[in-house]
Amino acid sequence: MTRRGLLIAGLAGAAVAAAIGVPLYLREGGDSGTSGDSGNSGNSTSGSGSSSGSGADGVVLEGPSGVQALTFGADARTLLASGDDGGIWRWDVPAERGTSTRVGIPPYLQPALFTPDFKLLVRAEKNKVISWDVASGRMVKTFDGPPTGKAQEGFVHSLALSPDGETLVAGLSEGLYVWDLASGRQLDIIEGQYSGPLAFSPDGKLLVSAFPLKLWEMPSRRALVTIDEHTSHRIAVFSPDNQLLAIAQLDGTIRLWNAATRQDVVTLKGHKDWVNALAFHPSGRTLASAGRDETARLWDTATGKSTATFTCPNSLEAVAFSPDGKTLAAGLGSGSSPGTKDTVRLFAVP
């Protein structure tokens, strides 16, 4: 089981928009010094950071107790994370300053993602999906799935958001639920599709979904082809040019499939356990993978060879490239030791 499928202690807390101060950087090696101020009023409170060198393990950011979603903003300065501690975390990377806003702890660890404009966090919570305002922590809208009579009925297994930020898709055991994000209006229920990966192509014209793994034309939601009938798929992501689809499988391998020719390209082998996250480099030539085997790997998608491996102290749950392609951010499921929150690593991309 991944952390997204585990029940965590306690019931869901009430959503609280009050922010907490956070220490930002825990860098490896050297003397640490504090920069920035704290005690700002309002919903966001600045934390303090240190300025020592990064060391072999890259820059270490202190953040949530476990990372669910991770993304850079429109430039390489801003990093956003959703935490399993019920917080939305934001860092100004060069300035070593950041904030954390409380939005409440969900009863289950489920998928979460940020909208393309980075204004909303969309998070699954048992049989529903909730959107939250990143700046204030205010709950914006609730998207309800099917009625639930048992704890796991209607459980949301996967989420995807169209590149224009208008269409939200959730994968449940009953099928795919499609909503208009702004209004919350339900657009469709696609039956015969079950829990599995979900991903839009960057141009928004294709959607890969669930089990059986299918490719859909969007926004018409017309089925184009069945990629695979098996249940061995966990995560999927498209390349920036919309052509290549990377699919993480249960055996730790990653399948590269060409969406234009509808043929397999190569299988990437190297992870010793489940792959929990995938991300393409902005150039499209490099793929990053993050796994339960405590490694993040870079792959040349043309040759299928691993070009770099970054080792972390715990299972990785999220991975993201900066828009300039120079930095890889990796989010851990927990800190390096009990009670620590050194859950985000920044690595220079070779």
Side-chain angles (χ1 to χ4, degrees):
M1 291 288 290
T2 66
R3 289 176 59 83
R4 295 182 179 90
L6 297 177
L7 174 64
I8 60 175
L11 299 177
V16 180
I20 57 174
V22 292
L24 295 186
Y25 275 102
L26 296 179
R27 295 181 185 260
E28 300 287 341
D31 296 328
S32 61
T34 301
S35 64
D37 53 27
S38 60
N40 293 350
S41 60
N43 286 328
S44 297
T45 305
S46 297
S48 60
S50 61
S51 56
S52 56
S54 63
D57 292 334
V59 174
V60 182
L61 304 186
E62 181 164 293
S65 55
V67 176
Q68 289 179 283
L70 190 66
T71 187
F72 280 91
D75 57 31
R77 293 185 59 92
T78 305
L79 183 66
L80 294 154
S82 168
D84 63 10
D85 59 356
I88 299 174
W89 296 69
R90 302 176 301 280
W91 296 271
D92 182 329
V93 175
E96 302 185 5
R97 295 172 59 88
T99 60
S100 176
T101 303
R102 279 284 188 193
V103 295
I105 302 175
Y108 297 92
L109 297 182
Q110 293 179 258
L113 51 79
F114 291 93
T115 54
D117 60 7
F118 314 108
K119 293 182 178 180
L120 297 177
L121 170 70
V122 181
R123 189 176 72 183
E125 300 188 12
K126 200 158 61 175
N127 68 317
K128 59 187 176 182
V129 180
I130 298 176
S131 60
W132 307 84
D133 183 82
V134 168
S136 68
R138 179 178 58 88
M139 183 187 295
V140 177
K141 200 168 295 294
T142 298
F143 306 84
D144 291 319
T148 178
K150 296 181 294 185
Q152 295 278 347
E153 187 179 346
F155 197 85
V156 180
H157 295 271
S158 50
L159 289 175
L161 190 61
S162 60
D164 59 12
E166 294 182 0
T167 306
L168 173 66
V169 183
L172 293 83
S173 58
E174 290 80 4
L176 301 182
Y177 280 65
V178 185
W179 292 284
D180 177 80
L181 183 71
S183 67
R185 180 171 60 91
Q186 190 176 95
L187 302 176
D188 200 359
I189 300 176
I190 303 175
E191 298 179 347
Q193 288 280 278
Y194 308 104
S195 56
L198 279 174
F200 276 93
S201 60
D203 63 5
K205 295 181 179 180
L206 298 173
L207 174 74
V208 63
S209 72
F211 163 71
L213 197 65
K214 287 188 177 183
L215 191 68
W216 302 80
E217 179 184 72
M218 298 299 285
S220 67
R221 299 185 286 281
R222 180 173 67 92
L224 298 175
V225 63
T226 297
I227 301 171
D228 205 325
E229 294 281 356
H230 301 291
T231 59
S232 59
H233 314 106
R234 303 196 63 252
I235 307 293
V237 63
F238 280 94
S239 61
D241 64 1
N242 310 290
Q243 297 297 303
L244 202 59
L245 180 65
I247 309 164
Q249 305 185 121
L250 289 176
D251 61 1
T253 62
I254 302 164
R255 177 183 176 186
L256 297 185
W257 188 81
N258 190 299
T261 64
R262 300 179 183 177
Q263 293 180 336
D264 285 310
V265 177
V266 68
T267 298
L268 312 180
K269 299 180 180 180
H271 283 284
K272 298 177 181 178
D273 209 329
W274 288 355
V275 172
N276 291 330
L278 298 169
F280 272 99
H281 188 274
S283 70
R285 177 66 185 261
T286 298
L287 176 74
S289 58
R292 200 167 67 168
D293 62 357
E294 303 180 357
T295 66
R297 294 174 180 267
L298 300 184
W299 307 87
D300 186 312
T301 58
T303 66
K305 296 185 180 298
S306 178
T307 59
T309 300
F310 306 105
T311 302
C312 295
N314 269 312
S315 172
L316 279 77
E317 296 290 329
V319 69
F321 282 104
S322 60
D324 60 12
K326 295 180 180 180
T327 304
L328 177 72
L332 280 65
S334 58
S336 58
S337 60
T340 61
K341 294 185 177 181
D342 50 339
T343 52
V344 177
R345 299 293 198 274
L346 299 181
F347 299 103
V349 176

